Amino acid sequence: MMQAQLAQAPGASVAPLLAVRDVSVVFGGIVALNGVSFDMHRGRILGLIGPNGAGKTTLFNCLSRLYQPSTGDILMEGESILSRPAHKIAEIGIGRTFQNVALFPNLSVLDNVRIGAHSRTTSDMISDSLKLNKVRRTEAAINERVHEILGYLHLESVAHTVVAGLPFGTQKRVELARALAAQPKILLLDEPAGGLNHEEVHVLGDLIRRIRDDRDVTVLLVEHHMGLVMSIADHVVALNFGKKLAEGTPAQVQADPDVIKAYLGSKDQ
Ligand code: ATP
C-alpha cells in the first residue's frame, strides 16, 4: 500500500528490485560496513568498487546471506531477506558466483549445472514421491533448461567432462551456467575477472551484458578490474573504509575527487 502510494507520487522513482538500507557490519571492534545504502534497479548492471578492505566482500556476503548485518536491512522486491539463510536465496531469485569457483570438481559440467537448476525448486522428496507425474514433468523441464543454458554459454561440447579437468576460464563459465540454471532475477558476481587474461575479460564483459539483455537478469558486479566495471556497469557504487564514498554513472564516479583520492592512497591503482 505504502509502496504503491510512493510509486505514484509525482517525481517518485520506480521501486528498486533490491534495496540496501543503512547496512552496518561490525566484526569485533572492526566496522567493516558503516551505514551503506543504495538501490539496484531491474535490468541494470551495478558495479561495486573500492580499494582493498573497503567492505565490498562484506556487503556481497550480506547480500548472499553468509553474513548478517549488525544493523540495517536488505529488501528484495520490498521484503526483507535477512531472515533467509544462504541456501534459501536461490528460491527468491538471487544467484551468485564465487571468486575462486565453487563447483563440485569431480562431477561433470552437466551435473553441476543441473544442481543449480534444482536449487530453485522448493519441492520435497516425500510429497513428490506421491506425485510421480509431476516429478517427471519437473525433471523434463529442468533438463530442457540445463541444455538451453549449456548451449547459450557454449558449454555443450564439455557437458560430460569432469569439471576439475577444465581450464579456469571454462570453469568460471560453468559457474555462471550453474547460477543461471536457477533462473535468478539478480546475479551477484564476485570478482568474475579474477584470474582471466585480457581477451577473456573482454569476452566476459560482453557475456555479462548479453545475460542482462537476453535473460532479464539484474547484475551486481564486485570487481577490482576497473576497465571491466567502467565498460559494462550502468551504475557504480564506490566504498571506502566501509562507507559509501560515491555513486553514479561510471563517468561520474571515475571523476569523483574522493574516489580518485581513495584509489591514489591505495595499492589498487
Ligand atoms: P578486498 O578488495 O581486499 O577483497 P573488500 O573491499 O572486499 O577488500 P572486506 O573484505 O569486506 O573488504 O573487508 C572490510 C573490512 O572488514 C576489512 O578491514 C577487513 O579486514 C574486515 N573483515 C572482513 N571480514 C572479516 C572477518 N570475517 N572478521 C574480521 N574482520 C573482517
Side-chain angles (χ1 to χ4, degrees), residues 27-28 30-33 50-59 67 99 191 222 224 239 268:
F27 296 112
I30 298 168
V31 183
L33 281 180
N52 289 121
K56 304 179 296 294
T57 305
T58 304
L59 184 54
Y67 289 171
Q99 204 170 328
E191 298 201 24
V222 170
H224 275 288
L239 300 178
D268 283 0

Side-chain angles (χ1 to χ4, degrees), residues 15 20 27 32 62 84 86 90 100 102 123 145 171 179 195 201 214 227 230 232 249:
V20 175
F27 296 112
C62 289
R84 196 166 270 275
N100 296 313
S123 52
R145 194 194 314 160
Q171 290 191 20
V201 172
D214 297 347
M230 295 304 172
I232 69 166
T249 63

Side-chain angles (χ1 to χ4, degrees), residues 124-136:
D124 75 80
M125 278 172 59
I126 296 172
S127 63
D128 274 359
S129 65
L130 302 171
K131 302 177 214 151
L132 263 182
N133 280 337
K134 185 185 164 216
V135 174
R136 284 197 193 108

Side-chain angles (χ1 to χ4, degrees), residues 126-157:
I126 296 172
S127 63
D128 274 359
S129 65
L130 302 171
K131 302 177 214 151
L132 263 182
N133 280 337
K134 185 185 164 216
V135 174
R136 284 197 193 108
R137 274 200 309 274
T138 307
E139 277 304 313
I142 283 177
N143 273 335
E144 196 178 316
R145 194 194 314 160
V146 166
H147 283 286
E148 185 275 323
I149 288 164
L150 291 179
Y152 183 76
L153 292 177
H154 306 298
L155 288 166
E156 266 169 336
S157 61

